Amino acid sequence: MRFQLLGLLSIADGEHAAVLQPSKPTSLLAALLIHSGAAVSTEYLVRAVWDTEPPATARAALQSCVLRLRRIFAKYGIANDAIEAVPGGYRMRMDHETLDLVRFRALVRSADSVGDAETESYVLREALALWHGPVLANVSSHMLHRDEAPRLTEERLRALERLCDIELARGRCREVLSEVWDAARRHPERERFSEQLIEALYRTGRQTEALAEIRAVKERLKEEFGIDPGAPLQRLELAILRGEELGIPPARTVPAIGARATSKAALPSGGTGAPGATSPDAPLPVPAAAAVQRPAPPAQAPASPPAPSGHTAPPSVPSATSPTATVAPVPCFTGRTAQLAAMRRALTADGPGTGPVVISGAPGIGKTALALQAAHLAQEAFPGGCFTLGMTRPDGSPLDTAEARAQLPTNGAGRRLLILDDAVSAEQIRPLLPSPGEGVAVVTSRRGLAGLIATHGGVVHRLDTLAPEESHQLLIATLGPERVAEEPEAARELARICGHFPLSLRIAAARLLTRPGLGIGDCSSWLAADLPARLSLADEPLMSVPLVFEAALLRLSPELREAFLLLATERRVAGTADPATPQDVPDVSHVPGVSDVVDVSDEVLERLADAGFVEEGPPKPYRIHELLKIYARQLGTTPSTVRLGTAATPG
């Protein structure tokens, strides 16, 4: 007898399988099999079986449920001791012969050790053949569907992505076309499947269909998420438009995920399996595949170096909580080396828990990108997964505490990382922080959230604009080294005009990527003629520096808004403004006529600094980023002339 978990939960005997009916024993069995070999705590099993409404005598009810499950086992000749009672919970020991999930993970790990692409493809196909429908389809537990099913599905999709990459690298574009077509249609949220489909179409001579697929992906991303495609898809589109011959894509390394189920940190009870338990981490022997001569590779164009890890700008953050088994690196992330190292140390520090990590700074400065990149680097310390929750609604209004709590996951198996993005106050965040031992929160906000740090400890990383060299590297990462090398000084001038803001640089780079004939110098001159209005994209209104600044300004009180506009419109010197150099805020008490209009006190300046509109402060001078000053001047020379719209997008 063996258990099948990768689809309908069933008990198989040779070619025959008995599908279990949705019931509490079925939910209990699913929870134990998912954590095969681990001691699963009673508390976790109670949540898996009864979700948020456990009976008054939960432990006794769970014991009764175990007895019912053992009676089901007896019908199929399964030994009574298949479920072991251990201190604090229960355990089932499974191996690759008795549970398809263990066999799947072992095969995926075995694929890592083979020396040739054909055998690796064979092993991955055998692993994927174990899936026979949506996972846990006949399991009624809401908790397992919410917390475990997405992780299991992620394992399958990563293996499928890897298989398709291998087949494309082998030149088997026609053979893999139907697979990537089906995957791209079933999982439109995964850009890699779309990239694989577009590449397969183009490399089989179907250029028109490939371009139509690219347009469809761009329209869907814009309509549903308000974002642009990632850098790989943009580079692929550019290569197709130029008629370039694609080189062989590198097969992506997809590490096995099965270790999460047996690592000590991941166990629901915090315990370990008993000595002698069969380890699901052991790879299976690689089956021999028939030796077939590989096809000759197509002519390969000069390969571009991989983009350095860094940020063009923050990826879109969903307004609902989204768990991820792994956190992908932020495309083209550059700079922030010291902050990343410090955050990684804070997130991976030993101990039952740590205070929140706050990332603050001006709108468009790259706070979300830094949070996600840090999560990517530290994800191994969080077997419970990473969850992102946007703290503002699409109209820019803050999410209230009750609404945010409803979207938070219940604590599953293992320590977790919670990213609370675009927070507006300490009061909004405090009720959402994980308790000690559950995990760590990373909070991004334009405000410093000093009150949160005062009550809960933790650290604050206040972001400034990128250094000139970091901006230059970001342009190299997005535009490619060849294009920047043709106009190196123009690229540095472009970074200066963009004020070294990551958001501005991404918009400028996107404009250049979609206009391969446009020179960097010409783009710089065009942007400089009307800053920051031209730092926006015609086909994506949400990608706009003025819109981001306006949404941020609208969050200020009228008093703070007028004070900022007054400060930003003073000391205007035509032709000398440098967006790369924030200017000192003038001493308004000595400007004739100004002190009669508004009293810009130290308290107001401090509040503006906290909101990200001015930087530094006592004992150093306050200063305003020049890009913000230019934006304020365009709104009007005096606060009374300001007419703001109703921006629909938070910065």
Side-chain angles (χ1 to χ4, degrees):
M1 286 290 178
R2 68 187 180 92
F3 294 96
Q4 294 179 336
L5 184 65
L6 304 180
L8 291 169
L9 181 55
S10 56
I11 301 175
D13 181 10
E15 297 181 356
H16 304 286
V19 177
L20 301 180
Q21 295 300 312
S23 64
K24 289 179 172 57
T26 300
S27 296
L28 172 63
L29 176 61
L32 291 168
L33 292 178
I34 288 171
H35 300 286
S36 169
V40 188
S41 69
T42 299
E43 291 75 12
Y44 180 86
L45 293 174
V46 167
R47 291 199 305 271
V49 175
W50 286 280
D51 291 303
T52 58
E53 298 180 356
T57 56
R59 291 180 181 272
L62 182 63
Q63 291 174 354
S64 175
C65 196
V66 170
L67 291 175
R68 290 173 60 192
L69 185 56
R70 284 173 171 161
R71 284 196 289 268
I72 293 174
F73 285 179
K75 291 172 54 179
Y76 299 100
I78 299 173
N80 192 52
D81 61 357
I83 303 178
E84 302 176 57
V86 297
Y90 295 89
R91 174 173 54 208
M92 289 187 69
R93 301 171 186 266
M94 296 287 111
D95 58 25
H96 67 271
E97 295 293 339
T98 54
L99 179 60
D100 56 0
L101 175 61
V102 175
R103 181 170 181 80
F104 169 79
R105 288 170 168 167
L107 285 169
V108 171
R109 279 187 297 274
S110 297
D112 287 333
S113 61
V114 301
D116 67 282
E118 182 181 358
T119 305
E120 187 176 3
S121 172
Y122 180 91
V123 175
L124 287 174
R125 287 192 182 280
E126 183 180 352
L128 289 166
L130 295 171
W131 290 77
H132 49 96
V135 67
L136 306 181
N138 58 328
V139 175
S140 57
S141 170
H142 294 297
M143 190 201 85
L144 294 180
H145 278 281
R146 181 188 65 237
D147 295 346
E148 302 295 348
R151 298 176 188 174
L152 296 174
T153 302
E154 173 70 13
E155 293 187 49
R156 174 184 172 273
L157 295 180
R158 290 174 65 194
L160 181 57
E161 283 183 6
R162 176 175 166 183
L163 172 64
C164 294
D165 276 333
I166 292 169
E167 295 293 68
L168 288 172
R170 296 175 63 198
R172 294 171 53 83
C173 299
R174 294 185 188 279
E175 292 82 354
V176 81
L177 186 56
S178 61
E179 288 178 282
V180 294
W181 201 304
D182 180 69
R185 293 296 181 265
R186 289 179 180 270
H187 306 282
E189 73 283 355
R190 300 180 77 94
E191 281 191 44
R192 182 56 193 155
F193 285 139
S194 296
E195 294 167 19
Q196 291 170 334
L197 172 58
I198 292 162
E199 183 176 333
L201 288 169
Y202 179 63
R203 293 176 69 189
T204 52
R206 299 161 71 171
Q207 180 178 6
T208 303
E209 291 176 74
L211 289 172
E213 189 69 24
I214 290 174
R215 284 194 299 272
V217 171
K218 292 172 71 174
E219 289 172 1
R220 181 181 59 80
L221 290 175
K222 175 182 175 182
E223 180 178 343
E224 295 184 16
F225 305 105
I227 60 174
D228 294 325
L233 187 56
Q234 293 183 27
R235 288 193 290 268
L236 181 60
E237 179 185 21
L238 205 56
I240 294 174
L241 290 172
R242 292 173 173 171
E244 295 175 355
E245 191 165 5
L246 301 180
I248 298 177
R252 298 186 175 187
T253 300
V254 183
I257 314 174
R260 181 185 65 81
T262 53
S263 68
K264 182 174 181 179
L267 301 186
S269 65
T272 58
T278 303
S279 172
D281 291 333
L284 293 179
V286 178
V292 179
Q293 184 69 29
R294 294 191 192 182
Q300 185 168 352
S304 299
S309 175
H311 57 215
T312 36
S316 176
V317 176
S319 58
T321 307
S322 56
T324 57
T326 57
V327 185
V330 176
C332 301
F333 193 99
T334 53
R336 312 294 192 203
T337 305
Q339 290 97 331
L340 274 176
M343 288 185 64
R344 189 174 186 181
R345 287 194 299 270
L347 295 177
T348 58
D350 293 332
T354 184
V357 177
V358 175
I359 305 173
S360 65
I365 210 74
K367 300 181 288 293
T368 304
L370 177 60
L372 294 176
Q373 184 69 7
H376 163 70
L377 295 176
Q379 60 186 316
E380 292 184 0
F382 299 97
C386 174
F387 302 84
T388 303
L389 178 60
M391 298 306 296
T392 53
R393 301 184 181 90
D395 62 357
S397 61
L399 210 64
D400 61 57
T401 301
E403 189 175 356
R405 270 180 169 166
Q407 298 183 46
L408 284 179
T410 58
N411 194 35
R415 191 168 177 256
R416 64 184 180 180
L417 177 64
L418 183 62
I419 300 176
L420 303 174
D421 190 61
D422 200 19
V424 298
S425 68
E427 291 75 13
Q428 186 191 33
I429 294 301
R430 286 192 183 100
L432 308 177
L433 295 178
S435 62
E438 284 187 345
V440 184
V442 175
V443 184
T444 72
S445 178
R446 294 176 195 140
R447 300 188 176 278
L449 302 182
L452 182 67
I453 299 300
T455 58
H456 286 75
V459 294
V460 177
H461 294 281
R462 182 77 175 187
L463 300 190
D464 208 331
T465 53
L466 296 175
E469 188 56 35
E470 292 173 334
S471 296
H472 189 68
Q473 290 301 317
L474 181 52
L475 290 176
I476 292 175
T478 52
L479 299 177
E482 297 86 358
R483 192 167 183 184
V484 173
E486 292 175 358
E487 300 180 80
E489 293 307 315
R492 296 187 184 279
E493 175 66 9
L494 176 61
R496 185 192 68 80
I497 287 171
C498 289
H500 301 292
F501 271 73
L503 177 61
S504 305
L505 290 164
R506 176 172 67 146
I507 291 171
R511 184 176 295 280
L512 285 164
L513 283 171
T514 55
R515 293 170 173 79
L518 178 63
I520 297 176
D522 293 335
C523 181
S524 299
S525 301
W526 184 80
L527 290 174
D530 190 11
L531 282 174
R534 289 182 175 176
L535 284 170
S536 59
L537 299 177
D539 64 340
E540 183 49 83
L542 299 181
M543 286 300 300
S544 165
V545 169
L547 187 61
V548 168
F549 285 175
E550 179 182 331
L553 200 59
L554 283 169
R555 286 195 193 174
L556 299 180
S557 66
E559 174 194 10
L560 291 183
R561 193 154 58 225
E562 289 197 1
F564 168 73
L565 294 172
L566 175 66
L567 295 174
T569 52
E570 288 300 320
R571 290 181 60 187
R572 289 170 290 146
V573 183
T576 63
D578 183 350
T581 306
Q583 304 295 314
D584 289 352
V585 172
D587 182 358
V588 296
S589 62
H590 293 89
V591 178
V594 171
S595 60
D596 296 332
V597 178
V598 62
D599 179 16
V600 185
S601 63
D602 287 343
E603 179 187 357
V604 169
L605 287 171
E606 277 294 288
R607 289 166 64 189
L608 285 172
D610 183 62
F613 281 87
V614 302
E615 298 298 324
E616 297 295 350
K620 298 180 181 180
Y622 290 97
R623 57 192 176 92
I624 299 177
H625 292 297
E626 185 62 24
L627 206 57
L628 278 166
K629 290 170 67 74
I630 296 172
Y631 167 73
R633 292 168 188 163
Q634 289 183 345
L635 290 179
T637 57
T638 64
S640 61
T641 64
V642 174
R643 294 292 183 269
L644 292 174
T646 54
T649 305

